[in-house]
Structures are given as C-alpha cells and as structure tokens.
C-alpha cells in the first residue's frame, strides 16, 4: 500500500487519544478517514479539527453493538466506495484487585475491548477482502505482561493479542494483512488522565500514527504481525 493517497481508513474510538493521533497522520498522508465513537457530538467536534468533509467522516458507533459497526462500515462504503484500512482502537480500562472489581466493570471491558474488536472485524472483513486491505488492533503491553489490579484489563488485552494473531492466519490467504500494536504508556486521556507536560516521557499518540504509516508502507511481502512499543526512558517520569 505504498501510495496512500485516496485510500480509506476507519478508526474506532477516533475522537481523542491514540485514535485521533493516528487519524491526523493518515489524513496528512492523503488518506480519507472515518472516525467513530459512542457519542456523535464528540466525534463531530474531533472531525472538524481533523479537516473537511471530503477527507473526514464522523460516525456514531458503539463497538459493543455489531449492528452499529455494520452501519458504520456501510456508511463508509456509501460515502467513499471502498475500505482499505481498519483500526480497532476503542477500549476501556478499570483497575482494581480482582476481589474488588465489579461484574459490571468486568463485562464492560470484555464487551468493549475484546468483543468490540471482533465486531469491528466482522463488520469490515468482506470490504477488506475486496480491497486486499489491512486490519490493525490496538492492544497493549498489558496483553503480554500481567500486573496487580489488572485482572480484567490484562484478560481482555491478552485476548486481543490472541484474537488478532489467529485472525492474521485466517485472513492472509485473502491478501488481508493483520497486525496488533501493543503500546506501553501513552500520553492520552485513558483512565481519566489529563495529558500534560508530566506525560512528556510517554509515547505520544502521533508516534503511534507514524508507526501505523510505517506498517501501511511496508512491502506487502513482509508483515510485522505483532509490535511491542514502549517509552524509551520510563525512568524520566
């Protein structure tokens, strides 16, 4: 996918944080980008900052609902006629010891972080087969490294890594590339953080955007299927 101009991407959870940072980079590279979120107003606000209607499409979609994701993909195809890149980025996190974690928090993480990733692929896979496109999930280093108070979040991100890698093996025969990106600490609003100078040591959302561009520009014979990315100097926090 060396020439990205005119290619179409869909990013779930694209109104802020990593999703927004990726959208900025893809649009700057000449792509058309649809972003979605649970509330249309926040997505529309983000879309206004990202650019004009010819390049950005704001969509309301809750990845927990398969019909929402199907509707989002249908709108993208109706608007631009193709779908080349899908980034399953939407996610939530609650952190508590397992004996204190509520069942509601457990199910919300499972439904959004894991089932939502499946819904996004299920809704878009036929379009990606047609375009010989690229499906990328945003997992986490928490999908390889467990930690106290992370039982629910760890479980979902371990699941995302496993789901994505198995999907890669299923879909490569259609020339659909599949990768998972596993970031460490990123300067975002995740877990009620307010990004500021104190986050300067962390990975920045635009850095993940650059990584996605690198993946899209990779020669099609080569697939970085699982990428761990972390801050260079966590000792500076």
């Amino acid at each position: 996918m060396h020439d990205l101009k005119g290619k179409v991407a869909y990013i779930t959870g694209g109104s802020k944080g990593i999703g927004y940072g990726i959208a900025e980079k893809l649009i700057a590279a000449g792509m058309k980008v649809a972003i979605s979120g649970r509330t249309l107003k926040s997505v529309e606000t983000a879309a206004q900052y990202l650019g004009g209607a010819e390049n950005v499409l704001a969509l309301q979609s809750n990845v927990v609902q398969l019909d929402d994701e199907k509707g989002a993909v249908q709108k993208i195809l109706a608007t631009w006629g193709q779908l080349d890149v899908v980034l399953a980025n939407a996610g939530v996190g609650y952190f508590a010891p397992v004996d204190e974690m509520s069942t509601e928090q457990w199910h919300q993480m499972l439904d959004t972080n894991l089932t939502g990733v499946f819904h996004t692929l299920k809704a878009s896979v036929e379009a990606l087969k047609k375009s010989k496109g690229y499906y990328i999930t945003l997992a986490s280093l928490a999908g390889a490294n467990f930690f106290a108070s992370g039982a629910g979040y760890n479980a979902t991100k371990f699941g995302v890594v496993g789901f994505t890698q198995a999907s890669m093996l299923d879909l490569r025969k259609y020339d659909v590339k599949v990768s998972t990106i596993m970031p460490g600490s990123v300067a975002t609003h995740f877990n009620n953080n307010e990004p500021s100078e104190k986050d300067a040591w962390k990975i920045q959302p635009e850095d993940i955007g650059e990584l996605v561009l690198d993946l899209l520009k990779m020669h099609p014979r080569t697939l970085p299927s699982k990428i761990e990315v972390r801050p260079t100097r966590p000792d500076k926090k």
Side-chain angles (χ1 to χ4, degrees):
M1 212 177 286
H2 289 288
D3 184 10
L4 299 179
K5 193 164 180 60
K7 299 287 188 183
V8 175
Y10 173 39
I11 305 171
T12 67
S15 64
K16 59 184 179 181
I18 291 175
Y20 186 90
I22 295 171
E24 282 186 308
K25 291 294 183 180
L26 298 190
I27 290 164
M31 295 182 69
K32 299 177 187 299
V33 178
I35 57 172
S36 70
R38 286 177 293 178
T39 56
L40 186 58
K41 187 174 181 182
S42 63
V43 181
E44 287 178 335
T45 300
Q48 288 172 354
Y49 284 110
L50 285 168
E54 69 277 5
N55 294 323
V56 187
L57 181 63
L59 299 168
Q60 187 282 323
S61 182
N62 183 348
V63 297
V64 173
Q65 305 297 328
L66 177 58
D67 284 346
D68 276 16
E69 284 295 88
K70 285 181 175 178
V73 169
Q74 286 168 358
K75 285 178 183 173
I76 294 165
L77 295 175
T79 304
W80 290 320
Q82 66 193 78
L83 180 56
D84 304 285
V85 180
V86 175
L87 290 124
N89 168 71
V92 296
Y94 301 105
F95 302 94
V98 69
D99 54 324
E100 297 174 16
M101 181 179 296
S102 71
T103 55
E104 289 80 12
Q105 290 172 334
W106 170 268
H107 285 292
Q108 192 174 343
M109 283 189 284
L110 204 64
D111 291 346
T112 303
N113 298 358
L114 189 52
T115 303
V117 164
F118 168 68
H119 286 166
T120 301
L121 180 57
K122 192 72 175 170
S124 62
V125 67
E126 295 307 320
L128 290 174
K129 286 180 185 177
K130 189 172 182 181
S131 66
K132 297 186 176 180
Y134 210 138
Y135 176 75
I136 300 170
T137 61
L138 269 293
S140 169
L141 288 181
N145 309 303
F146 48 82
F147 52 87
S149 295
Y153 191 70
N154 280 146
T156 60
K157 292 302 186 178
F158 270 70
V160 170
V161 173
F163 168 78
T164 311
Q165 295 304 291
S167 298
M168 177 266 294
L169 298 174
D170 288 338
L171 298 179
R172 58 185 177 180
K173 65 187 176 190
Y174 302 106
D175 293 316
V176 174
K177 298 176 81 172
V178 179
S179 299
T180 189
I181 299 173
M182 304 165 65
S185 299
V186 182
T188 71
H189 294 84
F190 186 75
N191 200 30
N192 298 316
N193 181 59
E194 191 61 42
S196 67
E197 281 302 308
K198 73 182 188 304
D199 296 310
W201 63 275
K202 295 179 180 178
I203 302 163
Q204 301 299 308
E206 60 266 27
D207 301 340
I208 304 296
E210 289 286 354
L211 178 57
V212 170
L213 281 179
D214 288 343
L215 290 174
L216 298 183
K217 292 176 179 178
M218 184 73 65
H219 195 288
R221 67 179 169 234
T222 301
L223 178 62
S225 58
K226 183 167 66 170
I227 304 100
E228 293 191 1
V229 53
R230 63 194 76 230
T232 308
R233 291 290 303 273
D235 58 309
K236 291 194 171 185
K237 61 184 169 184

